[in-house]
């Protein structure tokens, strides 16, 4: 395995579809961190640290953006595409929705 293959492996991230979907839906009209956290807690109890990690991955991969002045997160066109893919996979697969994972990177 060469150095480039090693770098590619490190850049791959796996996100749970249920958490990602909740975040994307929260960001459709723009949301504060606290609003996203509240919505996520209703879907799946998780820590603030996990939410911050997900937000970081989603911002870094242009699925959502952060508006620093208003302190809100907004879904981007790429995020809408991801949301559509989640819905499609959720309807096509017989797998438990909680087990669906998204590979990013």
């Amino acid at each position: 395995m060469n150095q480039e293959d090693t770098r590619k492996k490190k850049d791959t991230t796996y996100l749970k579809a249920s958490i990602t979907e909740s975040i994307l839906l929260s960001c459709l009209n723009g949301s504060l961190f606290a609003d996203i956290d509240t919505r996520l807690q209703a879907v799946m109890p998780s820590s603030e640290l996990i939410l911050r990690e997900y937000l970081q991955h989603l911002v870094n991969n242009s699925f959502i953006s952060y508006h620093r002045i208003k302190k809100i997160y907004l879904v981007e066109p790429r995020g809408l595409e991801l949301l559509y893919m989640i819905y499609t996979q959720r309807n096509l697969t017989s797998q438990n929705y909680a087990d669906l994972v998204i590979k990013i990177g």
Side-chain angles (χ1 to χ4, degrees):
M1 183 181 300
N2 64 28
Q3 187 175 1
E4 186 175 324
D5 291 337
T6 306
R7 237 180 295 134
K8 283 183 182 178
K9 275 191 172 182
K10 289 180 183 177
D11 291 343
T12 302
T13 303
Y14 295 91
L15 303 175
K16 287 189 172 193
S18 57
I19 295 174
T20 305
E21 175 188 23
S22 179
I23 293 170
L24 291 172
L25 288 172
S26 295
C27 296
L28 284 175
N29 294 317
S31 289
L32 299 168
F33 179 86
D35 298 332
I36 299 168
D37 188 39
T38 300
R39 182 179 186 124
L40 181 58
Q41 294 305 320
V43 172
M44 173 184 288
S46 61
S47 71
E48 188 177 299
L49 179 62
I50 290 172
L51 176 55
R52 289 191 186 283
E53 283 182 29
Y54 272 71
L55 289 172
Q56 179 183 357
H57 289 297
L58 294 171
V59 168
N60 289 344
N61 288 284
S62 301
F63 294 112
I64 61 174
S65 61
Y66 181 67
H67 190 280
R68 292 186 192 281
I69 295 170
K70 293 182 180 180
K71 297 183 180 182
I72 60 172
Y73 292 88
L74 299 162
V75 72
E76 294 294 320
R78 192 163 182 224
L80 292 174
E81 292 171 12
L82 179 58
L83 194 56
Y84 177 76
M85 287 191 293
I86 291 170
Y87 285 144
T88 302
Q89 286 303 308
R90 195 164 109 180
N91 292 329
L92 291 177
T93 186
S94 60
Q95 184 179 2
N96 185 354
Y97 174 61
D99 295 335
L100 284 177
V101 178
I102 302 162
K103 180 180 176 181
I104 298 176

